[in-house]
Amino acid sequence: MNIKDTSELEISSLLEDVYRKYGYDFRQYSEAHIMRRIKNRMTLSGIEDISQMQSKVLNDESFASQLLQDLSITVTEMFRDPEFYKSLRENVIPILKTYPFIKIWHAGCSTGAEAYSMAIIMQEEGLYDRTTIYATDFNQHVLSHAKEGIFSNKLMKEYTANYQLSGGNESFSGYYTSDSDNVIMNQSLKKNIVWANHNLVTDSVFAEVHLILCRNVLIYFDINLQNKVQKLFYDSLINGGILCLGSKEGLRFTDLDKEYSELDKKQKIFKKKY
Ligand SMILES: C[S@@+](CC[C@H](N)C(=O)[O-])C[C@H]1O[C@@H](n2cnc3c(N)ncnc32)[C@H](O)[C@@H]1O
């Protein structure tokens, strides 16, 4: 037997084992995503069938941790989709300015590129001192990376271009110090970011927040799980709060579609109705 013959039942049983032993619940992630990642791991590790994989997951914690990395795609970048950040500056910042203090939640923050981008915008808008950014992920490995705020020097050309396209007018290199290999983000950006481990599938509502960004995360969930997580976001947002999703994500086909108005349809920015 190989992955081509792998049945839904076998995958379900593997995911059940992962959940029971390690508490990570991938049972409602999209089947196509799970299949792709498991197939990839089997090839890389020379595993022939699911039962062999199952036994490795149960008996080898470092393999299980590798599988967790595989299943939680962590690709990210600063000012990812610059047009989105441009719209955020134009359509969301004016609303945030009306609040005496601002709470922002980045759900599925990966290595923190998105949270640092937001800290830069809030600093430029003179709002950062009254802002708290909660940046959460269920993957401890990326969270530790995020907290350090260290990124490869090689990424800075692309990040600088993104920043400028998003409407940034400062010198982007002023936001970090660099050595020959890496850059480290300024302490002034880190100071109001709270990094926390939070699993969107199994953990509960976050504090009442004014803005939620959950971009390029729900795309990996099936529709039932998307609905569940959308309910979590709805319950976490204040009335009039803003929800930002990724370019391939949306509220259509979810139960809460009618509970939001569109601030920018193309950039997937929504406002919770009063
Ligand atoms: C593709 S990255 C997106 C990062 C960032 N939001 C962006 O758009 O650049 C997806 C992130 O979601 C996280 N993630 C996946 N499932 C999650 C869950 N159940 N709870 C919390 N985070 C999750 C992954 O660990 C990963 O860091």
Side-chain angles (χ1 to χ4, degrees):
M1 180 178 58
N2 64 32
I3 187 78
K4 286 198 199 94
D5 312 313
T6 301
S7 69
E8 262 177 48
L9 212 64
E10 286 170 315
I11 296 288
S12 300
S13 155
L14 174 71
L15 298 181
E16 202 66 41
D17 281 350
V18 170
Y19 178 51
R20 299 270 165 253
K21 173 131 192 198
Y22 302 102
Y24 291 104
D25 190 355
F26 292 102
R27 294 174 299 174
Q28 287 181 277
Y29 279 50
S30 98
E31 206 182 305
H33 163 64
I34 295 288
M35 274 292 197
R36 212 168 26 242
R37 302 312 291 171
I38 286 183
K39 183 176 176 180
N40 191 46
R41 177 49 46 202
M42 284 172 86
T43 310
L44 290 175
S45 303
I47 292 174
E48 301 207 331
D49 56 36
I50 291 287
S51 63
Q52 195 184 344
M53 188 148 193
Q54 217 156 348
S55 136
K56 231 171 143 42
V57 161
L58 288 173
N59 299 307
D60 180 347
E61 287 199 8
S62 73
F63 180 79
S65 151
Q66 178 61 64
L67 188 64
L68 168 67
Q69 299 305 322
D70 293 336
L71 295 178
S72 65
I73 310 259
T74 56
V75 178
T76 189
E77 62 191 61
M78 285 198 201
F79 294 93
R80 182 178 193 174
D81 308 321
E83 287 296 321
F84 161 77
Y85 282 95
K86 200 169 192 174
S87 178
L88 188 103
R89 287 181 196 267
E90 287 167 13
N91 298 309
V92 178
I93 295 295
I95 297 174
L96 296 182
K97 279 189 173 159
T98 64
Y99 299 117
F101 60 90
I102 302 156
K103 290 201 265 179
I104 300 174
W105 179 17
H106 288 268
C109 67
S110 185
T111 51
E114 201 181 57
Y116 286 111
S117 307
M118 183 59 77
I120 288 171
I121 291 178
M122 297 309 269
Q123 210 174 68
E124 290 182 356
E125 296 289 339
L127 296 174
Y128 198 42
D129 283 343
R130 54 187 224 243
T131 299
T132 305
I133 294 177
Y134 300 95
T136 66
D137 205 286
F138 76 157
N139 180 330
Q140 196 53 47
H141 181 74
V142 286
L143 266 183
S144 306
H145 183 153
K147 202 169 182 175
E148 286 177 345
I150 297 175
F151 297 89
S152 165
N153 243 329
K154 293 190 191 113
L155 298 169
M156 289 307 125
K157 197 171 162 203
E158 185 191 2
Y159 290 1
T160 305
N162 282 357
Y163 164 75
Q164 287 165 348
L165 287 169
S166 80
N169 295 319
E170 303 295 321
S171 162
F172 190 63
S173 59
Y175 291 116
Y176 56 79
T177 49
S178 50
D179 62 25
S180 53
D181 296 325
N182 295 310
V183 307
I184 178 157
M185 303 311 290
N186 290 351
Q187 187 54 37
S188 67
L189 295 172
K190 292 178 177 174
K191 66 175 186 174
N192 292 349
I193 307 180
V194 179
W195 307 101
N197 197 310
H198 181 278
N199 190 328
L200 289 165
V201 184
T202 45
D203 293 335
S204 58
V205 169
F206 229 69
E208 292 206 308
V209 295
H210 302 83
L211 168 64
I212 295 176
L213 294 96
C214 184
R215 307 185 64 232
N216 310 298
V217 180
L218 298 181
I219 197 171
Y220 301 110
F221 297 176
D222 75 13
I223 189 69
N224 290 329
L225 185 54
Q226 285 183 33
N227 265 318
K228 179 178 160 182
V229 175
Q230 287 294 359
K231 175 85 171 64
L232 183 77
F233 292 156
Y234 186 80
D235 291 341
S236 300
L237 276 175
I238 60 158
N239 286 335
I242 314 286
L243 174 67
C244 300
L245 302 175
S247 62
K248 297 190 190 75
E249 296 158 339
L251 288 168
R252 274 186 79 201
F253 310 118
T254 70
D255 299 341
L256 290 160
D257 192 15
K258 301 223 161 14
E259 307 304 324
Y260 290 87
S261 54
E262 288 169 340
L263 269 190
D264 184 333
K265 189 175 178 182
K266 183 153 184 247
Q267 299 306 328
K268 308 291 169 68
I269 304 178
F270 306 91
K271 187 170 181 205
K272 179 174 165 177
K273 290 181 182 168
Y274 283 93

